[in-house]
Amino acid sequence: MAAFSNTAVSERTSPDTSSSPDLSKLSLEPTPSPLVDIANIAHDAHPPRIPPHRSHDPSNNLKRSDPFQFGSRYLEEGDDIYEFNAWDHVETDSTYKEYSELQYAKQRDSPVSEFDKKRFNADPSKWWNLFYRNNTSNFFKNRKWLQQEFPVLGQVTRKDAEPTTILEVGAGAGNTAFPILAQNENPGLRIHACDFSKKAVELIKANEAYDEKYIKADVWDVAAKGPDSLPPGLDQESVDIVLMIFIFSALSRSQWSQALRNIYTLLKPDGEVLFRDYGRGDLAQVRFKKGRYMEENFYVRGDGTRVYFFEREELVELWGRWKDVGDGDTESEESDVDCGEAECSESDGGGFEVVDVGVDRRMLVNRQRKLKMYRCWLQGRFRKRGRGVASREEVIVNNSQAL
């Protein structure tokens, strides 16, 4: 069988080969082969599916899912930056980095006065009480993305899951705890929602979904020492999962070690900390004006609440090197421990294994003003290494020695 030609003429000349062909009647337009026709028919019958991260069709657009699947919209060559309001995993450009460094220099040149620094550090709960008094529970959005980011929360809320105790530190108005309860089918799940703001705890207890069969809210400072180092109703090594969502950043560096000690004491061996907080270079940090800088990466907001912006390596070293030395003190080792890109090994002897620490970058877009804005968060999982069980009385004595 003769092969099909893509450049066949549409009209043929007279069979009389003795005369010259009339070239004016020849068509040089390519004629589609049957194979091309088949491809076109298939395309019409089953058009290619537009990737969800680019589609405006509600049935094929992850932007419209509930919860929205973060991390699915990648900016690729040829994309229109201003097509969507946000793009995932976008590194900051050189212009933004240069601008950020200029902002940091200005912030350092105009720090908080020593008087105000003492005022804001003396009683942080005072400012958070004011914050929650001025912002009702309707102000806060439920964190529906939790099970997507931390799949273990989906596992422990299944009907056939083992009894599980979750401690949420810095529970706020309950916008983490209540979404977990809404998805829960595990009759043995218990959530202890703690915050050092009395007003925040009042908001949780006032929620119509508050049921002490499944959730208990109490005032507790994660960096407390002595008799208050453990929250009400919880003993040492009684917690399976600790949630720390945008709470560690509210602590000053001087509070970090005690906070880790308290968390370590509460967790069962192999229990996990689920962590998410602000990263250095986040838009919120870059935007700070004069009179807000407390110390490097640590600021006070206009409402008096404090916030720290972390480096990834900083968290890996802090959680990977921290040790409970067993005499009432805690320390973050200054030895040459190389935690690598993911975790510290068992031989490093730290109290926590760094399971993972990731950087979540997002570029937000103001399509009307053609502006690009960069957000940065850090997300991690830290697992407690095993140790012997001490009594609650021993824990209180050890913490008292740290006063």
Side-chain angles (χ1 to χ4, degrees), residues 47-99:
R49 184 174 175 84
I50 301 174
H53 73 281
R54 301 182 185 212
S55 173
H56 291 281
D57 181 357
S59 66
N60 182 37
N61 187 347
L62 292 180
K63 181 179 178 181
R64 296 172 182 259
S65 64
D66 186 17
F68 169 55
Q69 299 292 303
F70 288 111
S72 61
R73 186 177 298 129
Y74 292 87
L75 183 62
E76 300 170 347
E77 185 176 356
D79 285 337
D80 177 6
I81 292 178
Y82 302 104
E83 180 180 6
F84 292 104
N85 292 326
W87 298 88
D88 298 301
H89 310 295
V90 179
E91 290 288 338
T92 56
D93 57 30
S94 58
T95 301
Y96 181 82
K97 290 178 180 177
E98 182 179 352
Y99 173 72

Side-chain angles (χ1 to χ4, degrees), residues 7-21:
T7 56
V9 294
S10 57
E11 289 187 31
R12 297 192 180 274
T13 58
S14 167
D16 183 6
T17 57
S18 61
S19 61
S20 299

Side-chain angles (χ1 to χ4, degrees), residues 166-223:
I166 296 176
L167 168 63
E168 185 187 3
V169 182
N175 301 93
T176 294
F178 289 123
I180 294 174
L181 286 179
Q183 301 294 323
N184 180 50
E185 296 181 347
N186 178 4
L189 181 75
R190 299 293 181 271
I191 297 178
H192 287 256
C194 295
D195 200 288
F196 68 179
S197 166
K198 295 179 181 179
K199 186 61 181 177
V201 172
E202 290 174 5
L203 290 174
I204 294 177
K205 291 184 175 181
N207 192 300
E208 61 181 9
Y210 184 78
D211 181 353
E212 291 202 352
K213 181 179 179 181
Y214 297 104
I215 181 172
K216 182 72 165 61
D218 287 294
V219 176
W220 180 61
D221 182 355
V222 67

